[in-house]
Amino acid sequence: QVQLVESGGGLVQPGGSLRLSCAASGSILIINGMGWYRQAPGKQRELVAAFRSGGSTNYTTYADSVKGRFTISRDNVKNTVYLQMNSLTPEDTAVYYCNADVVTIPTFPSSDYWGQGTQVTVSS
């Protein structure tokens, strides 16, 4: 199995910054993708930013609402992904979930794993 442990959430004023971290551990053979989703009260969970693998191509993707403000990065040695969030607004308030698409058994398809979520609140 795979465990995802998130950290870095909290309360921040509008215009402030936060950095989220997510470390993956367990029976990891290959990480095909890793990233962040968020879910605000009364709304569906949405993609924020992620690393993806498509064949021989690796790429990052961002939600339009966070482009230019959020940056995703990773440490492949530590199996850790980070989300640097700048210029935060109240609309960024949500529970942020780490997600990873991981192969744990050779020749078997990958599986999706989720962290427990970390609350980000942007308020004055």
Side-chain angles (χ1 to χ4, degrees), residues 12-40:
V12 64
Q13 292 187 341
S17 299
L18 281 175
R19 188 187 191 217
L20 305 182
S21 300
C22 173
S25 62
S27 303
I28 298 170
L29 288 181
I30 301 170
I31 298 179
N32 289 327
M34 199 166 176
W36 295 93
Y37 288 70
R38 67 185 180 187
Q39 188 166 19

mmCIF file of all heavy atoms in Angstrom, residues 12-40:
data_model
loop_
_atom_site.group_PDB
_atom_site.id
_atom_site.type_symbol
_atom_site.label_atom_id
_atom_site.label_comp_id
_atom_site.label_asym_id
_atom_site.label_seq_id
_atom_site.Cartn_x
_atom_site.Cartn_y
_atom_site.Cartn_z
ATOM 1 N N VAL A 12 -4.215 31.965 6.651
ATOM 2 C CA VAL A 12 -3.364 33.013 6.100
ATOM 3 C C VAL A 12 -4.242 34.168 5.651
ATOM 4 O O VAL A 12 -5.401 33.962 5.267
ATOM 5 C CB VAL A 12 -2.513 32.459 4.935
ATOM 6 C CG1 VAL A 12 -3.380 32.008 3.776
ATOM 7 C CG2 VAL A 12 -1.462 33.457 4.486
ATOM 8 N N GLN A 13 -3.697 35.360 5.699
ATOM 9 C CA GLN A 13 -4.446 36.534 5.251
ATOM 10 C C GLN A 13 -4.442 36.633 3.735
ATOM 11 O O GLN A 13 -3.518 36.111 3.078
ATOM 12 C CB GLN A 13 -3.838 37.793 5.846
ATOM 13 C CG GLN A 13 -4.017 37.908 7.348
ATOM 14 C CD GLN A 13 -3.542 39.244 7.875
ATOM 15 O OE1 GLN A 13 -2.770 39.958 7.237
ATOM 16 N NE2 GLN A 13 -4.020 39.604 9.061
ATOM 17 N N PRO A 14 -5.434 37.280 3.161
ATOM 18 C CA PRO A 14 -5.430 37.492 1.707
ATOM 19 C C PRO A 14 -4.133 38.148 1.257
ATOM 20 O O PRO A 14 -3.630 39.069 1.912
ATOM 21 C CB PRO A 14 -6.634 38.408 1.493
ATOM 22 C CG PRO A 14 -7.556 38.068 2.616
ATOM 23 C CD PRO A 14 -6.661 37.797 3.793
ATOM 24 N N GLY A 15 -3.607 37.645 0.151
ATOM 25 C CA GLY A 15 -2.333 38.130 -0.358
ATOM 26 C C GLY A 15 -1.138 37.383 0.190
ATOM 27 O O GLY A 15 -0.014 37.579 -0.300
ATOM 28 N N GLY A 16 -1.367 36.526 1.160
ATOM 29 C CA GLY A 16 -0.283 35.777 1.766
ATOM 30 C C GLY A 16 0.094 34.530 0.995
ATOM 31 O O GLY A 16 -0.443 34.265 -0.096
ATOM 32 N N SER A 17 1.011 33.777 1.585
ATOM 33 C CA SER A 17 1.541 32.580 0.936
ATOM 34 C C SER A 17 1.545 31.404 1.902
ATOM 35 O O SER A 17 1.637 31.582 3.119
ATOM 36 C CB SER A 17 2.980 32.820 0.458
ATOM 37 O OG SER A 17 3.040 33.858 -0.492
ATOM 38 N N LEU A 18 1.431 30.218 1.325
ATOM 39 C CA LEU A 18 1.581 28.966 2.052
ATOM 40 C C LEU A 18 2.282 27.969 1.157
ATOM 41 O O LEU A 18 2.173 28.062 -0.075
ATOM 42 C CB LEU A 18 0.224 28.389 2.471
ATOM 43 C CG LEU A 18 -0.487 28.969 3.684
ATOM 44 C CD1 LEU A 18 -1.861 28.315 3.832
ATOM 45 C CD2 LEU A 18 0.320 28.783 4.946
ATOM 46 N N ARG A 19 2.944 27.019 1.785
ATOM 47 C CA ARG A 19 3.587 25.935 1.039
ATOM 48 C C ARG A 19 3.106 24.604 1.605
ATOM 49 O O ARG A 19 3.290 24.328 2.775
ATOM 50 C CB ARG A 19 5.098 26.020 1.143
ATOM 51 C CG ARG A 19 5.829 25.046 0.226
ATOM 52 C CD ARG A 19 7.309 25.079 0.527
ATOM 53 N NE ARG A 19 8.094 24.366 -0.479
ATOM 54 C CZ ARG A 19 9.176 23.642 -0.209
ATOM 55 N NH1 ARG A 19 9.604 23.546 1.041
ATOM 56 N NH2 ARG A 19 9.850 23.054 -1.168
ATOM 57 N N LEU A 20 2.503 23.813 0.736
ATOM 58 C CA LEU A 20 2.043 22.484 1.115
ATOM 59 C C LEU A 20 3.066 21.446 0.689
ATOM 60 O O LEU A 20 3.738 21.591 -0.333
ATOM 61 C CB LEU A 20 0.709 22.160 0.458
ATOM 62 C CG LEU A 20 -0.436 23.143 0.671
ATOM 63 C CD1 LEU A 20 -1.706 22.626 -0.018
ATOM 64 C CD2 LEU A 20 -0.677 23.393 2.141
ATOM 65 N N SER A 21 3.166 20.389 1.493
ATOM 66 C CA SER A 21 4.040 19.272 1.165
ATOM 67 C C SER A 21 3.257 17.976 1.227
ATOM 68 O O SER A 21 2.334 17.846 2.033
ATOM 69 C CB SER A 21 5.214 19.184 2.149
ATOM 70 O OG SER A 21 5.989 20.346 2.130
ATOM 71 N N CYS A 22 3.645 17.024 0.397
ATOM 72 C CA CYS A 22 3.017 15.706 0.412
ATOM 73 C C CYS A 22 4.099 14.669 0.152
ATOM 74 O O CYS A 22 4.726 14.686 -0.916
ATOM 75 C CB CYS A 22 1.935 15.607 -0.647
ATOM 76 S SG CYS A 22 1.251 13.934 -0.818
ATOM 77 N N ALA A 23 4.293 13.796 1.118
ATOM 78 C CA ALA A 23 5.287 12.753 0.992
ATOM 79 C C ALA A 23 4.609 11.403 0.809
ATOM 80 O O ALA A 23 3.717 11.036 1.591
ATOM 81 C CB ALA A 23 6.169 12.723 2.240
ATOM 82 N N ALA A 24 5.031 10.678 -0.207
ATOM 83 C CA ALA A 24 4.498 9.350 -0.484
ATOM 84 C C ALA A 24 5.459 8.291 0.038
ATOM 85 O O ALA A 24 6.677 8.422 -0.121
ATOM 86 C CB ALA A 24 4.290 9.161 -1.988
ATOM 87 N N SER A 25 4.890 7.250 0.645
ATOM 88 C CA SER A 25 5.710 6.160 1.146
ATOM 89 C C SER A 25 4.953 4.857 0.993
ATOM 90 O O SER A 25 3.741 4.842 0.776
ATOM 91 C CB SER A 25 6.070 6.395 2.617
ATOM 92 O OG SER A 25 4.908 6.426 3.426
ATOM 93 N N GLY A 26 5.683 3.752 1.116
ATOM 94 C CA GLY A 26 5.054 2.445 0.992
ATOM 95 C C GLY A 26 5.641 1.657 -0.165
ATOM 96 O O GLY A 26 6.787 1.849 -0.541
ATOM 97 N N SER A 27 4.815 0.803 -0.738
ATOM 98 C CA SER A 27 5.270 -0.112 -1.784
ATOM 99 C C SER A 27 5.217 0.557 -3.156
ATOM 100 O O SER A 27 4.431 0.200 -4.022
ATOM 101 C CB SER A 27 4.403 -1.370 -1.779
ATOM 102 O OG SER A 27 4.421 -1.991 -0.506
ATOM 103 N N ILE A 28 6.095 1.516 -3.350
ATOM 104 C CA ILE A 28 6.087 2.322 -4.571
ATOM 105 C C ILE A 28 7.099 1.783 -5.566
ATOM 106 O O ILE A 28 8.275 1.697 -5.258
ATOM 107 C CB ILE A 28 6.410 3.792 -4.252
ATOM 108 C CG1 ILE A 28 5.349 4.377 -3.322
ATOM 109 C CG2 ILE A 28 6.496 4.603 -5.548
ATOM 110 C CD1 ILE A 28 5.715 5.740 -2.780
ATOM 111 N N LEU A 29 6.616 1.415 -6.748
ATOM 112 C CA LEU A 29 7.513 1.062 -7.842
ATOM 113 C C LEU A 29 7.682 2.231 -8.798
ATOM 114 O O LEU A 29 8.797 2.611 -9.141
ATOM 115 C CB LEU A 29 6.980 -0.156 -8.597
ATOM 116 C CG LEU A 29 7.064 -1.503 -7.885
ATOM 117 C CD1 LEU A 29 6.512 -2.608 -8.781
ATOM 118 C CD2 LEU A 29 8.503 -1.808 -7.497
ATOM 119 N N ILE A 30 6.561 2.772 -9.236
ATOM 120 C CA ILE A 30 6.577 3.886 -10.183
ATOM 121 C C ILE A 30 5.479 4.866 -9.780
ATOM 122 O O ILE A 30 4.359 4.465 -9.491
ATOM 123 C CB ILE A 30 6.313 3.418 -11.628
ATOM 124 C CG1 ILE A 30 7.365 2.393 -12.060
ATOM 125 C CG2 ILE A 30 6.291 4.613 -12.589
ATOM 126 C CD1 ILE A 30 7.021 1.714 -13.369
ATOM 127 N N ILE A 31 5.807 6.146 -9.769
ATOM 128 C CA ILE A 31 4.791 7.183 -9.596
ATOM 129 C C ILE A 31 4.521 7.790 -10.957
ATOM 130 O O ILE A 31 5.384 8.468 -11.524
ATOM 131 C CB ILE A 31 5.233 8.254 -8.595
ATOM 132 C CG1 ILE A 31 5.442 7.644 -7.207
ATOM 133 C CG2 ILE A 31 4.192 9.374 -8.526
ATOM 134 C CD1 ILE A 31 5.906 8.618 -6.151
ATOM 135 N N ASN A 32 3.352 7.517 -11.509
ATOM 136 C CA ASN A 32 3.000 8.048 -12.837
ATOM 137 C C ASN A 32 2.613 9.515 -12.768
ATOM 138 O O ASN A 32 2.812 10.265 -13.722
ATOM 139 C CB ASN A 32 1.838 7.257 -13.434
ATOM 140 C CG ASN A 32 2.253 5.866 -13.853
ATOM 141 O OD1 ASN A 32 3.379 5.641 -14.284
ATOM 142 N ND2 ASN A 32 1.341 4.913 -13.744
ATOM 143 N N GLY A 33 2.027 9.897 -11.660
ATOM 144 C CA GLY A 33 1.587 11.274 -11.510
ATOM 145 C C GLY A 33 1.376 11.578 -10.041
ATOM 146 O O GLY A 33 1.122 10.684 -9.240
ATOM 147 N N MET A 34 1.495 12.855 -9.720
ATOM 148 C CA MET A 34 1.323 13.270 -8.338
ATOM 149 C C MET A 34 0.924 14.731 -8.351
ATOM 150 O O MET A 34 1.479 15.511 -9.133
ATOM 151 C CB MET A 34 2.615 13.055 -7.554
ATOM 152 C CG MET A 34 2.466 13.003 -6.065
ATOM 153 S SD MET A 34 3.977 12.335 -5.302
ATOM 154 C CE MET A 34 3.530 12.502 -3.570
ATOM 155 N N GLY A 35 -0.036 15.077 -7.495
ATOM 156 C CA GLY A 35 -0.468 16.457 -7.512
ATOM 157 C C GLY A 35 -1.444 16.788 -6.410
ATOM 158 O O GLY A 35 -1.595 16.040 -5.442
ATOM 159 N N TRP A 36 -2.112 17.915 -6.600
ATOM 160 C CA TRP A 36 -2.995 18.474 -5.584
ATOM 161 C C TRP A 36 -4.386 18.747 -6.144
ATOM 162 O O TRP A 36 -4.517 19.272 -7.249
ATOM 163 C CB TRP A 36 -2.405 19.782 -5.051
ATOM 164 C CG TRP A 36 -1.128 19.596 -4.320
ATOM 165 C CD1 TRP A 36 0.129 19.673 -4.823
ATOM 166 C CD2 TRP A 36 -0.980 19.300 -2.930
ATOM 167 N NE1 TRP A 36 1.052 19.431 -3.834
ATOM 168 C CE2 TRP A 36 0.385 19.202 -2.665
ATOM 169 C CE3 TRP A 36 -1.887 19.106 -1.880
ATOM 170 C CZ2 TRP A 36 0.886 18.918 -1.394
ATOM 171 C CZ3 TRP A 36 -1.399 18.825 -0.625
ATOM 172 C CH2 TRP A 36 -0.017 18.736 -0.383
ATOM 173 N N TYR A 37 -5.382 18.404 -5.358
ATOM 174 C CA TYR A 37 -6.766 18.750 -5.608
ATOM 175 C C TYR A 37 -7.263 19.539 -4.400
ATOM 176 O O TYR A 37 -6.642 19.525 -3.343
ATOM 177 C CB TYR A 37 -7.621 17.491 -5.779
ATOM 178 C CG TYR A 37 -7.390 16.748 -7.066
ATOM 179 C CD1 TYR A 37 -6.207 16.059 -7.303
ATOM 180 C CD2 TYR A 37 -8.366 16.742 -8.065
ATOM 181 C CE1 TYR A 37 -5.995 15.377 -8.497
ATOM 182 C CE2 TYR A 37 -8.171 16.052 -9.263
ATOM 183 C CZ TYR A 37 -6.984 15.375 -9.457
ATOM 184 O OH TYR A 37 -6.791 14.704 -10.638
ATOM 185 N N ARG A 38 -8.390 20.202 -4.583
ATOM 186 C CA ARG A 38 -8.993 20.892 -3.454
ATOM 187 C C ARG A 38 -10.503 20.784 -3.523
ATOM 188 O O ARG A 38 -11.082 20.610 -4.595
ATOM 189 C CB ARG A 38 -8.579 22.366 -3.408
ATOM 190 C CG ARG A 38 -9.094 23.211 -4.545
ATOM 191 C CD ARG A 38 -8.512 24.626 -4.466
ATOM 192 N NE ARG A 38 -8.987 25.490 -5.539
ATOM 193 C CZ ARG A 38 -8.531 26.713 -5.770
ATOM 194 N NH1 ARG A 38 -7.572 27.232 -5.001
ATOM 195 N NH2 ARG A 38 -9.036 27.428 -6.754
ATOM 196 N N GLN A 39 -11.120 20.904 -2.349
ATOM 197 C CA GLN A 39 -12.571 20.856 -2.268
ATOM 198 C C GLN A 39 -13.041 21.901 -1.273
ATOM 199 O O GLN A 39 -12.715 21.831 -0.080
ATOM 200 C CB GLN A 39 -13.055 19.469 -1.849
ATOM 201 C CG GLN A 39 -14.559 19.318 -1.929
ATOM 202 C CD GLN A 39 -14.996 17.864 -1.845
ATOM 203 O OE1 GLN A 39 -14.253 16.993 -1.400
ATOM 204 N NE2 GLN A 39 -16.210 17.596 -2.296
ATOM 205 N N ALA A 40 -13.782 22.858 -1.792
ATOM 206 C CA ALA A 40 -14.378 23.892 -0.951
ATOM 207 C C ALA A 40 -15.762 23.441 -0.505
ATOM 208 O O ALA A 40 -16.382 22.593 -1.166
ATOM 209 C CB ALA A 40 -14.467 25.199 -1.733
#
